[in-house]
Amino acid sequence: MTQLDEAVSFGYSAAASEVEESAADGCTWCQLILSLKGDAEEVSLGGGHSPLLELPIRFGSGLKGESFTPPGNNRFGLWINGATYYLTAFTTGDDPVSELVTARELENDINSAKVFEQIQKWLKDCAHHDSCERQMLHGLPSRVIEVSPEHDPGTPRLLATHGLVDNYVALSYCWGPNQTCFTTKRNLNAHLQRLDMNTLSRTIQDAILVTRRMNIKYLWVDAMCIIQDSEEDKIIELAAMCRIYQQAFITIVAANAENANQGFLSCREPPAPATRVPFWTQDGRLGTVSLRLEGWYDDESEPVNTRAWTLQERLLSPRLLIYATHTLQYQCQQHTVNLGDSINFSFGGGAWRLPSFSNLSSGNRVSEWDVQSAGRTWGYIISLYSQRRLSYIEDKLTALAGIAEAFSSQIQVEYLAGLWSGELLPRLLLWMTDQTTDYSPCAIYTAPSWSWAALKSAVSFTTFYVHHAYEWYDVDDVAAKIALQSTALPFGRVTAGHLRLTAHVRQGLFQPPQYILWDRSVAHPEADDTLDSAMYASLDDGTMRGGRVICLATTRRTYPSSEKDITSMIAVSSVFSPVNVGDDATFSAIDGLIIAPIGDDGFYRRIGCFRGADENEFRNWPRQTLTLV
């Protein structure tokens, strides 16, 4: 049982009455079994009836195929008569089984001297991680908070850096409705002299204290380091946002705080009670393990992770100090660990990183990012980002601009209001709105209709086809143009945009909720109009009724016949066309946009998309040059 890469399975049967008697006599293992069984169903274990409880157990580090920290045999899978329960295990550092069960109890005091010793150890260890960038000094942002000036260490001040090079900390947090202090043109000079700690919001006060305890001199906070009533200064600082977070030594994330006045250093709620059970080691020593029904930490529900601006702060930063709802976490490019080595098993996207993004200042492109992997990554970013909230909808693209800038240095193609040109575009045009929420276009112009940024609604890119290869399908003369509000923000707000292309077009009849029939009243002498459509269609406005629509074929999607999902799809439908690529057989399908005309001048707007048409459904149908706005 000391092999950490292999889970150990064993099991036994016991009469329910015996388990009940043993639990009454104080056996904590039997008490745990009864409590779990009671949660699942109401079963009478007495009355002379003694059904057998089948108790197969899986103990190890590979349950569910998921990774967690710390590595070790820290999770149980327990099956009681077919019902499944997952338990986390932990013990104390001096217990005989501590080398086997490596997790420890959750720590909820996140503001002690011991905590800051742990932070220093994390940073020291991180310097030797193969996955993490080298810890080096960078030029400071144009303004920072000097947390302990030499002339008056107890009174922080705003500092104009003028090219100063040093380490600095960045803060990622929720402003909330009542930010108590920020820098304006009127108070700038006063802030350059001193900052009154009593007037600062609680979260900024806490960030200053943490920065001091880490022995770092400088802290960057947007509310204090950007002149909030100066549009000129905002443009300058927003243009630097990518670099600010990429080059921060570490970013403090006030994950649990709903607003800036809440702070993040208070003790967390104590962990739920655990059941202690005896545990024998292989060498015959008796130890104790504590078991707790697994409670997954859903980091996406944290207040900071519901806000749009904070996504780029998380993805661009090389290291994160996350003050989560339950404990303190450290995340770098290699792993995410909890304070005190309690088990971390995230339900949300906490472990998802863009490793190369923290090192783009070197100017190196990531050669392994081909068109398909870049498209998948960007689609996932947009799926995450579009679910988050913005206070001002005009920031729809601006709040993503830092990530877009970093991404641009990797792929080096033109940015198109939330999408990318060239060979990435065939995949990225095929976003879908979240049909479980209300359809909500932006109240003001934020992007052309073919960009997801035109909507307040959450969008996604289908995960079923995520690993398929996407390319243009018989599309020519692709030309896109975007008008920027400010050329100083090339990844920011736009005021207009269009996409012109020549592609196959066919008339259809939308059949709610998700089908299209071909319009038989429209024919073409060289095309086959006998085929029935078998494709999936999705209108952006899920409340729209059926009617005539125009299908614009933009994308060929191909995949190898060896893919596991292909067999089931072919069994359902024969619309997939085989394609020979070298010696390997692949299959293809045609995807595209559903569009509607705007006037009679060849202009159209996107109203949905379709997937899974057979190429014969479009082959020989006329191509048309049109403009999407």
Side-chain angles (χ1 to χ4, degrees):
M1 294 178 66
T2 59
Q3 296 296 319
L4 300 185
D5 57 345
E6 295 182 5
V8 177
S9 299
F10 59 95
Y12 63 95
S13 299
S17 58
E18 294 176 348
V19 174
E20 191 174 51
E21 292 172 4
S22 182
D25 290 338
C27 174
T28 54
W29 174 249
C30 293
Q31 291 170 359
L32 177 63
I33 291 171
L34 288 182
S35 68
L36 295 175
K37 188 64 178 174
D39 288 340
E41 55 181 301
E42 295 182 4
V43 178
S44 173
L45 299 180
H49 180 55
S50 301
L52 284 179
L53 293 181
E54 300 293 340
L55 299 164
I57 301 165
R58 184 171 173 84
F59 173 55
S61 58
L63 298 177
K64 297 184 182 178
E66 297 285 352
S67 61
F68 56 88
T69 55
N73 292 281
N74 302 327
R75 299 182 66 214
F76 279 100
L78 174 61
W79 288 260
I80 304 178
N81 287 2
T84 305
Y85 307 90
Y86 291 100
L87 307 170
T88 54
F90 61 91
T91 190
T92 59
D94 58 356
D95 194 277
V97 298
S98 60
E99 293 184 2
L100 181 66
V101 178
T102 60
R104 304 293 177 254
E105 174 63 291
L106 183 74
E107 294 196 16
N108 63 328
D109 182 356
I110 44 81
N111 189 29
S112 66
K114 177 183 175 183
V115 170
F116 288 95
E117 291 176 3
Q118 177 65 76
I119 292 172
Q120 295 299 333
K121 185 178 186 303
W122 281 332
L123 292 171
K124 183 178 179 180
D125 292 345
C126 187
H128 303 287
H129 289 164
D130 292 337
S131 302
C132 296
E133 71 166 291
R134 183 165 59 93
Q135 297 178 7
M136 57 186 295
L137 302 179
H138 292 287
L140 298 180
S142 57
R143 299 181 199 91
V144 292
I145 297 173
E146 187 177 16
V147 297
S148 295
E150 290 186 5
H151 68 282
D152 188 2
T155 304
R157 66 174 179 176
L158 195 63
L159 177 70
T161 59
H162 302 297
L164 184 65
V165 175
D166 208 331
N167 284 328
Y168 66 94
V169 177
L171 176 65
S172 178
Y173 68 114
C174 296
W175 274 47
N178 297 308
Q179 178 84 286
T180 58
C181 183
F182 44 84
T183 296
T184 64
K185 290 182 283 189
R186 183 176 181 178
N187 64 23
L188 174 62
N189 288 333
H191 284 179
L192 290 169
Q193 299 301 314
R194 68 187 301 274
L195 294 173
D196 185 349
M197 286 284 281
N198 294 324
T199 66
L200 298 177
S201 67
R202 181 64 181 274
T203 292
I204 297 177
Q205 291 182 45
D206 287 353
I208 289 173
L209 294 175
V210 171
T211 303
R212 285 174 175 169
R213 297 290 295 275
M214 288 193 292
N215 296 317
I216 298 177
K217 296 179 181 179
Y218 305 111
L219 169 68
W220 188 89
V221 181
D222 53 4
M224 306 307 299
C225 300
I226 301 175
I227 303 173
Q228 297 298 317
D229 59 351
S230 169
E231 290 303 315
E232 179 182 2
D233 194 66
K234 281 185 177 180
I235 289 174
I236 293 172
E237 297 304 317
L238 288 173
M241 201 65 66
C242 177
R243 180 183 64 84
I244 287 173
Y245 281 96
Q246 283 180 333
Q247 296 184 357
F249 183 71
I250 193 169
T251 295
I252 295 170
V253 182
N256 71 311
E258 295 181 357
N259 60 70
N261 296 318
Q262 187 173 335
F264 56 84
L265 288 179
S266 60
C267 279
R268 301 324 193 231
E269 291 292 328
T275 300
R276 298 182 66 193
V277 298
F279 197 96
W280 291 96
T281 66
Q282 282 190 317
D283 58 6
R285 293 178 296 162
L286 179 62
T288 302
V289 169
S290 296
L291 301 176
R292 181 179 289 132
L293 190 63
E294 187 164 78
W296 293 16
Y297 166 58
D298 182 4
D299 75 307
E300 288 301 313
S301 67
E302 293 279 27
V304 77
N305 291 330
T306 66
R307 307 300 302 178
W309 280 97
T310 59
L311 180 63
Q312 65 180 8
E313 298 163 5
R314 165 178 156 183
L315 296 185
L316 293 172
S317 300
R319 287 166 288 274
L320 302 174
L321 196 59
I322 305 171
Y323 286 83
T325 299
H326 62 318
T327 192
L328 174 64
Q329 298 183 314
Y330 177 80
Q331 183 178 108
C332 61
Q333 304 300 328
Q334 181 152 316
H335 58 201
T336 302
V337 291
N338 282 357
L339 178 66
D341 281 334
S342 62
I343 192 166
N344 172 59
F345 187 79
S346 176
F347 179 74
W352 189 79
R353 307 288 293 145
L354 294 177
S356 62
F357 276 30
S358 65
N359 198 28
L360 296 184
S361 57
S362 65
N364 295 327
R365 294 185 65 191
V366 180
S367 58
E368 62 268 24
W369 273 28
D370 59 18
V371 167
Q372 303 305 326
S373 60
R376 290 192 295 268
T377 301
W378 188 255
Y380 185 62
I381 291 171
I382 299 309
S383 296
L384 288 175
Y385 177 78
S386 67
Q387 298 175 45
R388 298 182 172 215
R389 299 195 304 272
L390 277 166
S391 297
Y392 304 100
I393 198 61
E394 57 265 32
D395 293 336
K396 186 76 172 180
L397 290 172
T398 308
L400 186 70
I403 296 178
E405 180 181 347
F407 209 84
S408 176
S409 67
Q410 298 290 289
I411 59 175
Q412 298 183 352
V413 298
E414 184 182 1
Y415 188 57
L416 300 175
L419 305 180
W420 297 96
S421 63
E423 297 306 309
L424 284 170
L425 195 53
R427 177 195 291 264
L428 297 179
L429 285 171
L430 301 175
W431 49 268
M432 300 180 298
T433 55
D434 183 354
Q435 299 292 322
T436 64
T437 58
D438 292 338
Y439 172 74
S440 183
C442 293
I444 60 176
Y445 186 90
T446 54
S449 68
W450 38 273
S451 170
W452 56 269
L455 304 179
K456 291 176 62 178
S457 308
V459 303
S460 63
F461 295 81
T462 178
T463 57
F464 189 74
Y465 305 136
V466 67
H467 291 291
H468 293 182
Y470 289 74
E471 62 183 354
W472 290 114
Y473 169 64
D474 204 11
V475 174
D476 294 329
D477 304 324
V478 180
K481 185 174 182 180
I482 297 295
L484 295 169
Q485 184 183 55
S486 171
T487 56
L489 294 175
F491 304 98
R493 189 175 177 185
V494 303
T495 57
H498 70 258
L499 173 64
R500 190 186 72 247
L501 48 75
T502 301
H504 291 282
V505 174
R506 190 170 180 184
Q507 307 288 327
L509 300 170
F510 180 67
Q511 305 291 304
Q514 56 187 30
Y515 299 105
I516 284 181
L517 300 178
W518 295 126
D519 187 349
R520 301 302 186 192
S521 67
V522 179
H524 190 270
E526 298 179 4
D528 184 356
D529 63 355
T530 64
L531 294 173
D532 291 327
S533 171
M535 61 190 185
Y536 167 84
S538 172
L539 295 188
D540 298 337
D541 184 353
T543 66
M544 291 179 65
R545 298 180 179 179
R548 295 182 182 275
V549 294
I550 302 171
C551 296
L552 175 68
T554 61
T555 307
R556 186 200 304 273
R557 174 167 42 85
T558 58
Y559 39 89
S561 57
S562 59
E563 278 201 7
K564 293 180 180 180
D565 56 37
I566 301 305
T567 303
S568 61
M569 288 194 295
I570 293 176
V572 174
S573 173
S574 61
V575 303
F576 302 97
S577 303
V579 178
N580 289 321
V581 179
D583 297 329
D584 298 324
T586 64
F587 290 85
S588 70
I590 304 303
D591 304 334
L593 302 182
I594 304 173
I595 60 177
I598 301 176
D600 299 321
D601 298 324
F603 290 92
Y604 295 80
R605 63 184 179 92
R606 173 200 154 116
I607 61 171
C609 65
F610 67 87
R611 287 180 170 84
D614 184 77
E615 186 172 350
N616 290 324
E617 296 178 61
F618 284 96
R619 182 185 289 120
N620 296 328
W621 280 86
R623 294 199 308 160
Q624 180 179 336
T625 299
L626 48 80
T627 300
L628 300 175
V629 295

